[in-house]
Amino acid sequence: MPIVTFQDQITSQEVTLHYQIFGDAHQSALIFSNSLGTNLSMWQKQIDDFKQNFFVICYDTRSHGASSTPQGCYSLDQLGNDVIQLLDHLNIAKASFCGISMGGLTGQWLAIHFPERFNQVIVANTAAKIGQAQAWQDRAKLVREQGLKPIAETAASRWFTEDFIQQHSLTVASLSNDLAAGSAEGYANCCEALAQADLRDELGQIDIPVLIIAGQHDPVTTVADGQWMQQQIAHAQLAEINASHISNIEQPEQFNQCIRHFLGTKI
């Protein structure tokens, strides 16, 4: 069957989610969830690699990309339930999930609360508790007052190693521009969700296969964060790759190899 590419949106009472699908719907589903301040285009190297063997689903997290920006503070529960609604919309009973940073927190929440809907969960460059609540509240206040430009101007140093920034300036500029052009209110709402999100006491409930991917140069969610998560989750696997925070873009071949090995596929 030929590779199919399709984009659409779902609308609930609360949010309109933009998504794209790639590949054969009869294959196993693999859904990707973006990081804070990015959109589904961040997964292009993963889409290209996995669409031959999986039914790939990418979506823009609420207030990101072409998804809508509901008013009010967000919660991790809402971010997770958005994924469940998308799977229901696509009539997918069970999928594998891969999320990075904020998307990785969403993946942890899904593994805790909806294990029956997922074969495996991959969480990259994330932690059970990312950063400190006050820092997220301060960032939310900053972007509401000054917009996203100040955050976008410094994002590259958090996202990538200096070598990658120097060698891939166009990629870095495109991602920074996407961040600057996003919804300041939606970004602030997600910061407030991250301020409250803390799954440290619940990780032990996870009993489905989990792969944790950590960037060896990640200043935001460190290898130590990944090691701690591995200790809490029964039978979790940990893979370290030579990258900073947005590891799927900085080291796509290593990132994809980790996923292929974990999912047991040969592409």
Side-chain angles (χ1 to χ4, degrees), residues 53-231:
N53 293 76
F54 288 89
F55 182 52
V56 174
I57 307 154
C58 296
Y59 73 100
D60 290 327
T61 299
R62 59 170 59 206
S63 80
H64 289 68
S67 291
S68 68
T69 301
Q71 297 302 305
C73 298
Y74 300 167
S75 68
L76 186 55
D77 289 22
Q78 289 173 312
L79 301 183
N81 277 302
D82 287 345
V83 177
I84 298 302
Q85 288 193 42
L86 176 55
L87 292 178
D88 289 346
H89 172 74
L90 294 170
N91 295 312
I92 295 172
K94 205 162 190 176
S96 295
F97 179 96
C98 178
I100 191 165
S101 193
M102 180 175 67
L105 257 177
T106 301
Q108 294 169 61
W109 186 92
L110 290 167
I112 293 165
H113 294 279
F114 286 92
E116 72 280 3
R117 300 299 298 270
F118 297 95
N119 298 305
Q120 302 103 339
V121 168
I122 301 149
V123 296
N125 300 89
T126 193
K129 169 68 176 172
I130 300 178
Q132 300 300 316
Q134 189 58 54
W136 287 118
Q137 297 288 1
D138 291 345
R139 189 183 295 192
K141 183 174 184 291
L142 173 68
V143 299
R144 287 194 173 105
E145 293 174 349
Q146 300 182 29
L148 284 168
K149 186 177 178 181
I151 298 296
E153 288 175 345
T154 61
S157 63
R158 297 186 296 275
W159 285 350
F160 302 112
T161 62
E162 188 58 35
D163 283 349
F164 185 88
I165 293 170
Q166 295 298 324
Q167 296 172 21
H168 300 273
S169 58
L170 293 179
T171 297
V172 173
S174 177
L175 287 160
S176 298
N177 291 338
D178 284 347
L179 172 54
S183 164
E185 182 62 27
Y187 185 100
N189 290 344
C190 286
C191 287
E192 290 170 340
L194 290 169
Q196 300 301 319
D198 187 349
L199 299 177
R200 287 175 291 186
D201 292 337
E202 300 175 67
L203 286 190
Q205 301 175 26
I206 297 176
D207 61 1
I208 62 175
V210 173
L211 171 65
I212 303 157
I213 298 177
Q216 293 169 339
H217 309 289
D218 188 344
V220 181
T221 51
T222 64
V223 170
D225 289 321
Q227 292 170 337
W228 188 86
M229 292 171 62
Q230 183 188 24
Q231 293 168 2

